[in-house]
Amino acid sequence: MPRKGYQEKLDELQEDVLYMSEIVFDRLQTGLDALEKKDDELAEEVIHGDDEINQLYLDLERECVNLLALQQPVAGDLRFIAASFKIITDLERIADLAVNLGEYAIDAEQDHGPDVDVQAIGEIVVEMNEQAMAAYTDEDSELCYAIGDRDDEVDAMCQDASDTVMRNLIEREIDEDTTDEEIESLMRDVSRLLLTVRDLERVGDHAVNIAARTLYMVDNDDALIY
């Protein structure tokens, strides 16, 4: 393939990865909105939209494989294609976590648990992922490190939230008039809240993964890969 055509293929791959990220982050935000509003319609939109994300992933996977097999890239181009492949994998997994949020929204009954600000955690991890994709686009290694540092903040918020949920459960008084059905409902809500916090923490981890692959792509630096 002529050099111009090859470069166009690389540019197209980057555009396609960015397009996938926009859709995934939109679904993630919709999942958070569904959870906040207990909106089944929004939740179903996220759940039923997962097939589209999966197909995008397969299309981009094929695009990466074709570039690797047919062009035999080296050095910076090889790192770019490898990073792009790893990034779409993270994006697909973020979409799966967004589906989980939709399912939690549908399953939500009553708010028996403590007042944990899930939306605040969600806002940060969405922003982290958007910044990670900006770093990928702009080849911004400093932003990659900033995202890695911010993950510590998310981990601390998630740990505090989980501790609050468990402390509330331990301290909760259940009298003899409490029915088994009420106890089961409480446990389902507590479990759902803990799973929500866990999944949002994972979304933040995927942002770090994207930043790590970008840093390696830009500077051949594996400092954030773990």
Side-chain angles (χ1 to χ4, degrees):
M1 180 183 293
R3 181 67 194 179
K4 182 178 180 182
Y6 172 55
Q7 187 58 51
E8 287 174 351
K9 288 290 185 182
L10 294 177
D11 293 342
E12 182 180 328
L13 174 60
Q14 184 180 58
E15 290 172 3
D16 290 344
V17 173
L18 292 172
Y19 174 70
M20 181 179 178
S21 74
E22 289 171 2
I23 295 178
V24 168
F25 299 160
D26 179 70
R27 299 285 164 76
L28 176 59
Q29 186 58 60
T30 302
L32 286 164
D33 292 343
L35 200 60
E36 181 179 31
K37 301 172 184 176
K38 294 184 175 60
D39 188 320
D40 287 1
E41 186 174 337
L42 287 177
E44 293 288 354
E45 179 183 328
V46 176
I47 293 168
H48 293 308
D50 194 47
D51 287 343
E52 178 188 3
I53 301 296
N54 291 337
Q55 187 58 55
L56 270 174
Y57 170 78
L58 292 173
D59 291 344
L60 285 173
E61 180 185 55
R62 188 178 305 111
E63 202 173 327
C64 291
V65 169
N66 286 341
L67 281 168
L68 290 170
L70 300 177
Q71 302 303 320
Q72 298 182 336
V74 295
D77 289 347
L78 178 59
R79 293 199 304 273
F80 166 72
I81 297 169
S84 297
F85 178 75
K86 290 289 188 178
I87 287 169
I88 63 171
T89 302
D90 280 295
L91 292 173
E92 192 274 333
R93 290 174 180 169
I94 292 170
D96 289 340
L97 294 169
V99 169
N100 288 355
L101 297 182
E103 291 173 347
Y104 300 152
I106 290 173
D107 292 341
E109 296 175 2
Q110 302 178 43
D111 288 324
H112 292 300
D115 185 16
V116 173
D117 196 351
V118 168
Q119 294 299 316
I121 300 172
E123 183 178 335
I124 292 175
V125 297
V126 168
E127 184 177 312
M128 284 174 63
N129 276 280
E130 290 173 342
Q131 290 177 337
M133 291 309 302
Y136 168 76
T137 305
D138 299 334
E139 299 187 355
D140 187 337
S141 55
E142 289 187 10
L143 184 54
C144 292
Y145 281 112
I147 292 164
D149 291 341
R150 198 167 190 193
D151 189 51
D152 293 337
E153 175 188 355
V154 172
D155 289 346
M157 291 177 71
C158 290
Q159 185 62 59
D160 287 346
S162 297
D163 290 347
T164 298
V165 173
M166 294 308 299
R167 189 180 307 111
N168 179 269
L169 180 63
I170 292 170
E171 295 174 352
R172 183 181 293 268
E173 294 184 4
I174 299 178
D175 57 40
E176 60 184 15
D177 295 326
T178 305
T179 66
D180 289 344
E181 183 177 333
E182 289 172 332
I183 294 174
E184 289 175 4
S185 178
L186 167 64
M187 296 308 296
R188 283 195 297 270
D189 277 356
V190 167
S191 176
R192 173 177 54 80
L193 189 51
L194 289 172
L195 288 171
T196 300
V197 171
R198 180 205 65 182
D199 285 353
L200 290 176
E201 184 174 12
R202 288 181 177 176
V203 172
D205 290 340
H206 286 300
V208 177
N209 289 348
I210 293 171
R213 294 301 171 179
T214 297
L215 182 63
Y216 183 72
M217 175 187 80
V218 175
D219 291 342
N220 196 21
D221 182 347
D222 62 0
L224 295 179
I225 296 176
Y226 54 87

